[in-house]
């Protein structure tokens, strides 16, 4: 196993902060959530997971509200006292009914919650996060967020929601604790090394493996401003700043991800987003039409490989959550072993479809 960084765990890497001893998610908050029981059973073999519910708050120009949009958000935002069915009818009355099949993020939002909630919660944040007009982003990005007509303010709908007590890096350590696995850090795998191995499972960016010969795939990267404070900085793990005028997208206060621990001091990370240049860490695939054209050229190259498979978020260029990556990897390894046993060609991509 090669990793170009000086640590394992990729963007899930966690360490204890030197000043506060808070467990920090080095590359931004990772809250494990899944509906997939097989994934849950697999991952919980390697760590103790503590139940954690993400209750996000959003600072908007009109005040602080609960996210995802729920009955509290709707009633406070519109100064009303609606019950669930009334709120549903009200949102339907302000939503844009003329949109049948939303073709982009903005249309999805207008159809979903109407103009005012879209402007307050989604437009500015999305512009900052993606650097692209929401009209040019896929509707699927917004579908990640629920809207509820009750007072449930849980950010996710998933059956299992938790954070590993000792962080994510400890999980990866246990996963690779096997005498048949050799770890080499600070080593960026290069295409020319592939024939030293029977088979390569490549999880880095697909364009980088081919030296960007078919063009660069668009990614957003995020970067952080770290601050240490006394006591409690913001009273919550995640607070989003939805106004386009505020330069950062959100502030994460990591000690609130481990309410079972107690710490006198606190460490917070202000999160900024920008287009990823070649040397930046890729986080979010942008997946515009131009990216898709480039991707299909790399996929054509990949399909010609005899001994490389492309696994996970970067190698298949998709916006996947941790649980989806794990689920695909489990199914992919079954498929790969099956093919290997029968002498069939190795499956190339971890994607289920
Ligand atoms: N989003 C938004 N306002 C928010 C939170 C999210 O407009 O306060 C939009 C934004 O486009 C974001 C998407 O919803 O990229 C998905 O949000 P999620 O919290 O799932 O993103 P992640 O945690 O993966 O960055």
């Amino acid at each position: 196993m090669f990793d170009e960084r000086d640590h394992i765990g990729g963007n899930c890497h966690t360490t204890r902060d030197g000043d506060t001893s808070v467990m920090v998610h080095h590359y931004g908050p990772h809250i494990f959530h899944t509906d997939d029981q097989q994934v849950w059973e697999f991952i919980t073999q390697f760590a103790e997971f503590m139940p954690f519910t993400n209750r996000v708050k959003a600072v908007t120009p009109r005040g602080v509200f609960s996210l995802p949009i729920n009955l509290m958000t709707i009633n406070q935002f519109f100064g009303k006292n609606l019950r669930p069915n009334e709120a549903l009818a009200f949102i339907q009355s302000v939503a844009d009914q003329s949109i049948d099949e939303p073709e982009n993020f903005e249309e999805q939002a207008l159809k979903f919650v109407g103009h005012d909630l879209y402007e307050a919660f989604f437009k500015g944040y999305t512009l900052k996060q993606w650097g692209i007009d929401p009209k040019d982003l896929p509707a699927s990005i917004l579908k990640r967020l629920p809207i509820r007509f009750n007072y449930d303010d849980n950010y996710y709908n998933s059956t299992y929601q938790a954070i590993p007590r000792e962080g994510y890096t400890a999980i990866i350590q246990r996963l690779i604790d096997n005498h048949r696995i050799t770890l080499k850090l600070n080593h960026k795998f290069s295409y020319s090394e592939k024939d030293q191995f029977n088979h390569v499972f490549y999880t880095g960016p697909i364009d980088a493996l081919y030296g960007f010969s078919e063009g660069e795939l668009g990614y957003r990267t995020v970067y952080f401003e770290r601050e240490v404070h006394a006591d409690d900085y913001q009273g919550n793990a995640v607070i989003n700043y939805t106004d386009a005028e505020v330069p950062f997208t959100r502030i994460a206060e990591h000690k609130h991800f481990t309410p079972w621990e107690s710490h006198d001091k606190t460490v917070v990370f202000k999160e900024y987003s920008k287009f990823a240049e070649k040397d930046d860490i890729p986080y979010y695939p942008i997946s515009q039409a131009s990216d898709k054209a480039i991707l299909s050229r790399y996929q054509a190259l990949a399909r010609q490989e005899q001994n490389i498979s492309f696994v996970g978020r970067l190698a298949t260029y998709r916006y996947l959550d941790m649980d989806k990556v794990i689920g695909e990897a489990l199914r992919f390894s079954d498929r790969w072993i099956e093919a290997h046993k029968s002498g069939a060609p190795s499956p190339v991509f971890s994607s289920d479809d």
Side-chain angles (χ1 to χ4, degrees), residues 202 204-219 294 298 314 317:
Y202 180 74
I206 188 167
D207 54 353
L209 185 70
Y210 291 108
F212 305 100
S213 63
E214 305 300 312
E216 285 173 46
L217 292 168
Y219 280 102
I294 295 174
Y298 285 118
L314 297 174
Y317 193 65

Side-chain angles (χ1 to χ4, degrees), residues 67 105 121-122 125-126 130 141 144 155 240 250 284 319:
L67 257 193
F105 185 100
F121 292 98
F122 302 133
Y125 187 98
T126 298
W130 294 96
I141 295 179
R144 291 171 58 86
Y155 200 68
N240 289 2
R250 55 187 174 185
Y284 296 91
Y319 184 3

